[in-house]
Amino acid sequence: MRYPPTLLIIATKKLTAECCGYPISIFFIVVNEFCERFSYYGMRAVLVLYFRYFLLWDDDLATSIYHAFVALCYLTPILGAIIADSWLGKFKTIIYLSIVYAIGQVTMAISTIHDITDANRDGTPDNFTFHIALSMLGLILIALGTGGIKPCVAAFGGDQFQEHQSRQLNTFFSVFYLCINAGSLLSTLITPVLRVVFIAGSGMYVKTDPEGNIMWSVCKCIGFAIKNRFRHRSSSYPKREHWMDWANEKYDKLLIAQIKMVLKVLFLYIPLPMFWTLFDQKGSRWTLQATTMSGDFGAFILQPDQMQTVNPILILTLVPIMDRLIFPLIQKCGLNFSPLKRMTVGMLFAAMAFVSAALVQIEIDKTLPNFPSSSESQLKVVNTYSTTLNVTISPNEHLLIESFGVQLHTSKHTYSTISYVKSKPREGKNAIRRDFVLRHGEQWCEFSRKFGFGASYTFLIPSTVFSDDCESITEVEDMKPNSVHMALQIPQYFLITTGEVMFSVTGLQFSYSQAPKNMKSVLQAGWLCTNAVGNIIVLIVAELGKLPKQWAEYLLFASLLVAVSIIFSIMAYFYTYIDPAEIEAQVRKEQGLEPEEMEKETLEMEEKDEDQKNEQGVKQTKI
Ligand SMILES: CC(C)C[C@H](NC(=O)[C@@H](N)CC(C)C)C(=O)O
């Protein structure tokens, strides 16, 4: 059916100002995302330290609450999407939830002021319950804010593009991802929150109206289809093409078609959390791995947690390389590297990253001392006597003996235990050189020592220490310095980030392109939920305990992801890419309805193209 030209020129979609083919409003959206991620990652970077050193929680509790918070941040997008798509629209949802977000950050900041409850001014809060309650409230508000706006911002960005800007729309998601990572990278350096920028662009946005309580209608429609199917379960009723067609009696064909599209994509998401389970271990297992490595890069010393910044740095370089070089090259070679294939390859890269982490771990394990197990004891014997002594230890097969510094002979002599070390010093601590000053009344002496990262030392101070100016101090190396360099983690970071570019950037884009117009935020929320589930899996694995050997755990995760990627590739094989707008137009046509304004515009564009092709030079004006 063709429409008369008078109808075709009715374009109600707001005409957006363009720059290099992109709507100008996009600028405000990507800057907003930059600021939001800046604020989020800036706070997240110090969260575990806050739990550990301010609230004085132990490592396990701090890690669990941290992952629970991250999971909550990626679950709340469902709420944000419902509010946006059914009630407020994306623009207002972003504004209102940003306010919630800002209140959360302020609450969190107040919770860190220990003076509030430190009545005796001893530097320690007197009422931990107050600080814990306030910080939990702050975190919940932040999770609501960040999670709530996250699915809307990506979808809102996508909404700014018109039909003829599909190439720019794809690039937008890459630029969007670049901003996420630039924001997270810079947040470690600077802190102001500049979310005002988003409101500044208000007049330029295409603001699509929410279409009523869409989520409620979706739930009712699905519920009805299931009930109706059950009622007609007898074989005497003819089968229908899709189980959602059992809602035909009561619900609009268009809504049913839209639900089918969303369900198809959500089904495809089922195996995806496994990718995030591996990806999010950068912040936990990989950082712990880095604590047993040397961060001495000569010109600078890298702390284990700083190693994580390699990820956003690599994103900033890899996204343009992939977009401009690798993907076009693959296309030129005639290979069809479709979005779902990219995501599968992304998963395989993440699995390879874990194999690389396992290899590094094996190297590290070779350098680690033998720590006593629960059925063993560790004994250190230091001979400070002037001659060699013979030490006899009664036979005991469970005794693990190590001697340090001075000679130890096992024969007949008593020995003394100096210290007991169960693990490597945390966070790879130990500065390169330390100066010590020993004082006793008026007497003092000074000495200086060079230490290795992750090493542990004992100093034996004899009674003659002040008379020989600290010369007689004996240094005992309890534990050797970390000898495996942190640079060895770079390959695993490179592999996981390459995987991320293929998986995450593509997933973001795919979720937008396959969603019906009124459910774009919902699918973005579904996509973000895969991350939440991934974090919950990390939580469960961390709580259930791990394999005795860390490298084996890395290999287990790698194998699981390979298995999941095979399942995903099979599911992807049966997935047919759709153009939601086309399907919606077709259903409308079948129902004898007028095409939507958007579609009129599409038709207008098509008309234009046709006109140009025919070289008729007929110009159409939009009013
Ligand atoms: C897509 C999201 C689940 C995660 C995304 N994260 C990243 O882009 C990371 N490379 C950032 C890095 C600092 C961990 C996000 O939107 O934050």
Side-chain angles (χ1 to χ4, degrees):
M1 181 178 164
R2 307 299 298 177
Y3 295 89
T6 41
L7 245 182
L8 289 174
I9 57 173
I10 300 170
T12 53
K13 187 166 180 177
K14 188 170 182 165
L15 281 178
T16 53
E18 287 183 15
C19 175
C20 312
Y22 291 85
I24 290 190
S25 52
I26 282 304
F27 167 79
F28 298 93
I29 294 171
V30 293
V31 171
N32 175 69
E33 181 66 10
F34 171 90
C35 295
E36 190 277 318
R37 290 288 92 181
F38 179 97
S39 162
Y40 173 75
Y41 280 112
M43 189 277 298
R44 213 176 95 163
V46 291
L47 194 59
V48 173
L49 301 179
Y50 169 74
F51 290 155
R52 187 70 190 82
Y53 302 111
F54 186 95
L55 298 182
L56 304 179
W57 289 350
D58 64 25
D59 279 7
D60 287 343
L61 183 61
T63 310
S64 300
I65 301 292
Y66 170 83
H67 277 290
F69 166 69
V70 176
L72 190 64
C73 289
Y74 289 108
L75 277 176
T76 46
I78 303 178
L79 210 69
I82 293 174
I83 297 174
D85 282 351
S86 320
W87 178 31
L88 290 178
K90 296 180 194 93
F91 180 75
K92 280 190 189 157
T93 308
I94 295 169
I95 299 291
Y96 295 157
L97 285 179
S98 292
I99 295 169
V100 174
Y101 191 169
I103 296 172
Q105 289 281 27
V106 171
T107 312
M108 198 61 198
I110 294 172
S111 81
T112 64
I113 307 171
H114 54 61
D115 280 2
I116 298 177
T117 64
D118 186 11
N120 55 5
R121 295 285 179 265
D122 65 350
T124 314
D126 299 336
N127 186 350
F128 274 98
T129 319
F130 171 81
H131 290 276
I132 293 172
L134 210 60
S135 56
M136 291 304 110
L137 174 70
L139 288 180
I140 291 171
L141 291 176
I142 292 172
L144 272 176
T146 180
I149 64 176
K150 198 131 176 58
C152 306
V153 181
F156 190 62
D159 289 351
Q160 306 308 309
F161 292 83
Q162 314 232 359
E163 291 294 320
H164 65 284
Q165 293 170 315
S166 57
R167 191 182 54 79
Q168 285 88 344
L169 176 62
N170 282 344
T171 314
F172 161 72
F173 288 106
S174 299
V175 175
F176 187 76
Y177 216 81
L178 284 180
C179 285
I180 290 175
N181 286 273
S184 66
L185 189 61
L186 282 181
S187 61
T188 49
L189 305 173
I190 33 175
T191 321
V193 181
L194 297 168
R195 223 162 299 118
V196 197
V197 176
F198 182 68
I199 304 171
S202 179
M204 299 184 199
Y205 299 134
V206 173
K207 295 175 194 161
T208 46
D209 288 331
E211 303 193 7
N213 199 343
I214 184 75
M215 282 312 285
W216 182 230
S217 314
V218 168
C219 294
K220 280 197 301 189
C221 183
I222 293 177
F224 180 80
I226 296 171
K227 254 196 286 168
N228 202 25
R229 173 75 191 92
F230 189 71
R231 263 192 240 126
H232 300 91
R233 61 189 175 280
S234 134
S235 54
S236 55
Y237 294 104
K239 279 196 173 153
R240 298 190 184 178
E241 209 184 314
H242 192 283
W243 64 269
M244 269 310 297
D245 292 332
W246 287 98
N248 273 345
E249 280 89 333
K250 193 168 165 191
Y251 286 90
D252 180 28
K253 279 230 166 55
L254 185 62
L255 180 69
I256 296 172
Q258 288 168 332
I259 295 176
K260 280 185 196 168
M261 292 184 236
V262 169
L263 289 181
K264 242 175 81 174
V265 179
L266 288 181
F267 176 70
L268 209 55
Y269 283 171
I270 293 173
L272 303 189
M274 201 61 212
F275 173 88
W276 298 116
T277 301
L278 273 73
F279 181 81
D280 282 320
Q281 290 189 43
K282 284 189 292 73
S284 46
R285 294 275 196 265
W286 286 15
T287 304
L288 290 175
Q289 183 182 62
T291 63
T292 57
M293 303 173 86
S294 165
D296 187 357
F297 280 78
F300 60 94
I301 289 153
L302 200 70
Q303 292 301 324
D305 44 348
Q306 287 174 330
M307 195 63 196
Q308 289 179 65
T309 53
V310 171
N311 170 258
I313 294 172
L314 282 175
I315 286 277
L316 294 181
T317 42
L318 284 176
V319 168
I321 293 177
M322 292 282 183
D323 262 17
R324 303 271 156 218
L325 203 73
I326 311 288
F327 294 149
L329 213 67
I330 294 176
Q331 209 177 358
K332 267 204 180 128
C333 294
L335 295 170
N336 171 23
F337 204 28
S338 65
L340 295 179
K341 278 187 195 154
R342 276 186 211 180
M343 289 169 74
T344 314
V345 175
M347 284 176 162
L348 294 176
F349 266 99
M352 285 194 286
F354 266 61
V355 174
S356 172
L359 294 177
V360 170
Q361 192 60 47
I362 291 169
E363 280 310 302
I364 293 171
D365 287 354
K366 284 183 200 161
T367 67
L368 289 180
N370 284 327
F371 296 119
S373 71
S374 56
S375 58
E376 292 174 328
S377 307
Q378 188 184 53
L379 203 65
K380 285 174 186 169
V381 181
V382 178
N383 179 5
T384 59
Y385 202 58
S386 52
T387 58
T388 300
L389 297 172
N390 290 328
V391 180
T392 304
I393 296 167
S394 52
N396 182 343
E397 53 184 302
H398 295 304
L399 208 59
L400 180 85
I401 306 161
E402 291 181 14
S403 66
F404 292 89
V406 274
Q407 288 168 303
L408 163 72
H409 284 267
T410 51
S411 166
K412 45 179 186 311
H413 210 285
T414 48
Y415 43 83
S416 58
T417 307
I418 302 296
S419 64
Y420 184 69
V421 187
K422 276 184 10 198
S423 63
K424 277 258 169 190
R426 299 304 305 272
E427 297 173 33
K429 286 267 160 58
N430 271 340
I432 284 289
R433 184 165 279 281
R434 281 265 185 264
D435 294 327
F436 295 86
V437 178
L438 295 183
R439 273 183 208 287
H440 179 67
E442 291 296 295
Q443 294 178 302
W444 67 277
C445 69
E446 193 179 332
F447 71 107
S448 155
R449 285 288 187 278
K450 192 170 190 276
F451 297 140
F453 288 91
S456 167
Y457 303 91
T458 301
F459 288 98
L460 304 172
I461 303 168
S463 54
T464 55
V465 67
F466 294 118
S467 56
D468 58 21
D469 203 22
C470 281
E471 285 296 311
S472 53
I473 291 177
T474 307
E475 177 190 305
V476 181
E477 192 180 68
D478 294 333
M479 201 178 293
K480 289 196 180 334
N482 298 342
S483 53
V484 178
H485 203 273
M486 263 188 223
L488 280 190
Q489 278 197 326
I490 292 176
Q492 69 203 55
Y493 269 97
F494 176 79
L495 289 167
I496 202 122
T497 313
T498 309
E500 183 189 358
V501 175
M502 298 209 174
F503 180 87
S504 188
V505 183
T506 314
L508 194 68
Q509 204 176 308
F510 175 80
S511 307
Y512 185 83
S513 72
Q514 299 299 289
K517 205 183 96 209
N518 54 352
M519 296 185 202
K520 299 267 185 211
S521 313
V522 173
L523 261 196
Q524 287 295 324
W527 165 249
L528 293 169
C529 274
T530 62
N531 182 288
V533 179
N535 263 282
I536 293 168
I537 298 176
V538 183
L539 244 179
I540 295 169
V541 172
E543 288 297 320
L544 286 183
K546 41 182 185 135
L547 293 177
K549 289 283 175 202
Q550 186 55 56
W551 61 262
E553 192 187 282
Y554 286 141
L555 286 187
L556 175 73
F557 275 117
S559 330
L560 282 175
L561 190 57
V562 171
V564 164
S565 63
I566 294 171
I567 297 171
F568 180 70
S569 64
I570 297 168
M571 289 164 79
Y573 179 78
F574 292 102
Y575 183 85
T576 30
Y577 294 90
I578 51 156
D579 178 351
E582 209 173 274
I583 295 180
E584 283 165 343
Q586 206 178 320
V587 176
R588 278 177 194 283
K589 207 167 143 186
E590 280 165 16
Q591 289 180 308
L593 295 171
E594 289 262 302
E596 263 211 334
E597 286 133 3
M598 273 284 286
E599 289 138 28
K600 284 174 197 161
E601 202 186 43
T602 313
L603 284 168
E604 183 197 26
M605 292 306 301
E606 281 169 10
E607 281 278 308
K608 252 189 189 172
D609 284 352
E610 245 169 62
D611 289 348
Q612 275 164 4
K613 270 182 215 153
N614 295 337
E615 293 178 348
Q616 285 169 354
V618 179
K619 284 193 179 163
Q620 292 178 342
T621 334
K622 283 181 179 177
I623 52 167

